[in-house]
Amino acid sequence: MTDSRWPDWLPLRKSLAPLSAYGAPQVDAEATLNTNENPFPLSQELVKAIAARLSEVCANLNRYPDRDALELRSKLASYINDQSGTSFSAPEVWVANGSNEIIQSLFLAFGDQGAIGFTPSYSMHPLIARVTSTQWIDGQRRSDYSLDIDDAIKQIVKAAPALTFITTPNNPTGEAISIAEIEKIAQSVPGLLVVDEAYAEFSEEQSAVTLISQYPQIIVIRTMSKAFSFAGARVGYLLAHPSVVEAMMLVRLPYHLSTLTQGAALVALDFKSELLSGVAELRSERDRVAASLREMGLTVLPSQANFLLFTGFQSSSPQLWQAMLDHGILIRDVGLSGYLRTTIGTGAENEKFLHALRECLAKEKS
Ligand SMILES: *Cc1c(COP(=O)(O)O)cnc(C)c1O
C-alpha cells in the first residue's frame, strides 16, 4: 500500500514512501541554536576576499569547473597535515557539496553489503542509506548513550556490514571516543570504518586521519560547516586511501562542485586561522553553559563538540522546545524523549538561552 501522503499517480520508489525529509525547522528566532553552526560570521576582510575571487572566476562561468577540484583537494590536504602531522596529498582527499554528499557517495560506492551505525547518532546516516537502497542496521549504545566499544565490535562483527559509521564527537550526544578505541575497532571489524569527524576541531582527541596510513580501511569525513564557519558554502571532504577516492570518482556526478564553491573554499582556507579563531571561545562557552545547566539541576552529557544534550526537565521535549521558541530561542528536539540539544552560540546568545531556560523551568514547577 502507498503511504497516504503520496498521490497514486506518483511512481515513488516503495522504499522511500515511509520516509520523511530532513527537516530541522528554519524559523526566525532571537538565538538560532539548532543546527550546530558556528555563530561567528565571516570578517569583512574575508567577505571582500571571497567576493574578489568570485568576480575573477565569474568571467569563466561559461566553462565547467575543475571536475577533480585538484587545487582545493591539495589545500584541504595541507590543512589536515598542519593540524594532525600527516602527509596527505590530493589523491587521498575527496571534496563535495557538504559531508552529506560525501556520505551519499560512500553508500553509492560501497553499500551493497549494508551499513551499521550506533543510535542515537547523526540522523542523516540512516536516511541517506535508505535513499541509496543501502540496508541500515541500528547498532545499540549503553542506556546513557555512551558507546561500549567491545559491545559495538561484537555487533559489527555479527552484522558484517560493508560500512561501519562511528561519529566522534558524536551528534547529538557530544561524546568523543579515543584514537585507541578507533584503532581497536579498525583492527577487529570487517569492511570499511567511516569516522565522521564533523566536530573534530572542537575535540581534544587525536583525529583518526593519523591512522589511515596504517589502516587503509579507515575513511575520515570532515566538513567546513561547523568549526570553519562555512556552512552556507556547502563544503565537506574525506581523507582515505587513494582507492577509496577513485571509487568516489565513479559515483560523483560530473562537475559536482561548482567553480563558485571551489573558489570560495580556497579563499576560506587562506583565512583558516581567522575562521577557526572562535573555536577556543566556543569550547570554553560550552563548558560554562554545561556548568550552568547542571546548576539548574539538569543532567548534561559530556561534550567535546559545540553543542550539549541535556535532560532532567519535567515537560516533554516538544513542550519545552516550544516554550523555548516562544522565548525566541530555537534549539533542537532530536527525537529522544526527555532530551533536548542546544548549540553553543555567542556569549550573548548563550546568556539568552540560559535566561529563557531558567524561566521555562520555573514555570514547569509552578
Ligand atoms: C552537521 C553534520 C554533518 C553535515 O555536514 P555538512 O558538511 O554540512 O553536510 C555531517 N556529520 C555530522 C555528524 C554532522 O553533525
Side-chain angles (χ1 to χ4, degrees):
M1 208 187 73
T2 325
D3 190 289
S4 57
R5 282 180 301 155
W6 305 102
D8 288 339
W9 50 262
L10 195 70
L12 187 71
R13 284 182 193 274
K14 272 205 182 62
S15 58
L16 298 184
L19 302 182
S20 313
Y22 175 86
Q26 286 193 308
V27 297
D28 279 335
E30 264 181 73
T32 298
L33 304 174
N34 70 331
T35 47
N36 298 343
E37 294 144 319
N38 190 317
F40 301 117
L42 280 51
S43 70
Q44 273 312 303
E45 197 197 350
L46 174 49
V47 169
K48 280 196 192 123
I50 292 176
R53 177 71 64 94
L54 295 190
S55 77
E56 271 167 37
V57 303
C58 273
N60 289 321
L61 283 182
N62 57 315
R63 300 292 177 192
Y64 283 115
D66 172 5
R67 200 169 43 217
D68 296 337
L70 270 173
E71 192 186 353
L72 181 54
R73 285 161 63 204
S74 298
K75 216 158 193 165
L76 288 165
S78 309
Y79 164 63
I80 292 293
N81 294 339
D82 287 350
Q83 288 240 316
S84 292
T86 44
S87 48
F88 292 108
S89 55
E92 297 156 298
V93 181
W94 187 240
V95 57
N97 297 280
S99 47
N100 279 303
E101 186 179 14
I102 296 279
I103 294 163
Q104 183 186 55
S105 292
L106 290 172
F107 286 131
L108 288 173
F110 306 120
D112 267 0
Q113 300 305 314
I116 190 172
F118 295 86
T119 319
S121 189
Y122 186 47
S123 62
M124 288 308 296
H125 295 153
L127 186 55
I128 302 173
R130 292 196 176 104
V131 167
T132 56
S133 297
T134 304
Q135 202 205 336
W136 177 265
I137 295 168
D138 269 327
Q140 302 299 307
R141 292 170 175 266
R142 295 191 186 98
S143 58
D144 67 358
Y145 300 143
S146 63
L147 190 63
D148 178 335
I149 300 299
D150 294 325
D151 186 54
I153 290 171
K154 275 188 204 140
Q155 296 177 61
I156 300 161
V157 168
K158 183 160 172 240
L163 293 161
T164 294
F165 279 78
I166 296 286
T167 306
T168 182
N170 187 44
N171 177 9
T173 61
E175 177 196 53
I177 64 172
S178 71
I179 191 83
E181 290 170 316
I182 303 267
E183 184 167 16
K184 191 169 179 192
I185 299 172
Q187 285 168 341
S188 323
V189 308
L192 297 170
L193 176 58
V194 181
V195 187
D196 188 335
E197 291 190 353
Y199 302 95
E201 287 90 348
F202 294 105
S203 170
E204 266 149 34
E205 298 296 342
Q206 202 185 330
S207 166
V209 297
T210 55
L211 295 173
I212 292 173
S213 60
Q214 200 183 341
Y215 300 95
Q217 71 271 35
I218 295 182
I219 298 170
V220 176
I221 306 178
R222 303 286 285 259
T223 180
M224 291 178 74
S225 295
K226 308 288 167 53
F228 245 97
S229 260
F230 217 52
R234 309 304 298 126
V235 182
Y237 55 105
L238 65 69
L239 297 117
H241 187 275
S243 299
V244 170
V245 174
E246 278 184 41
M248 296 296 93
M249 291 181 174
L250 283 180
V251 296
R252 62 104 186 271
L253 295 173
Y255 313 108
H256 67 298
L257 201 63
S258 82
T259 304
L260 301 174
T261 305
Q262 293 185 41
L266 284 166
V267 178
L269 284 163
D270 286 338
F271 282 71
K272 61 180 184 246
S273 41
E274 174 196 309
L275 283 169
L276 293 171
S277 64
V279 166
E281 183 177 340
L282 291 169
R283 279 156 68 157
S284 72
E285 277 291 300
R286 170 192 71 207
D287 297 341
R288 182 181 76 86
V289 173
S292 299
L293 293 175
R294 291 189 183 109
E295 272 165 33
M296 290 181 214
L298 298 169
T299 301
V300 187
L301 274 67
S303 173
Q304 294 254 18
N306 65 333
F307 54 83
L308 295 167
L309 187 70
F310 59 95
T311 185
F313 43 86
Q314 287 166 16
S315 337
S316 70
S317 308
Q319 278 167 342
L320 183 56
W321 179 83
Q322 184 63 54
M324 289 295 284
L325 189 56
D326 295 342
H327 282 77
I329 311 297
L330 179 60
I331 58 174
R332 189 69 171 273
D333 179 356
V334 291
L336 296 175
S337 175
Y339 288 81
L340 286 171
R341 190 191 71 195
T342 189
T343 303
I344 301 304
T346 62
E349 287 172 328
N350 299 331
E351 274 314 302
K352 284 184 190 165
F353 161 76
L354 290 169
H355 180 74
L357 188 59
R358 271 189 207 101
E359 291 198 346
C360 291
L361 294 183
K363 216 175 211 157
E364 274 185 343
K365 293 201 175 97
S366 65

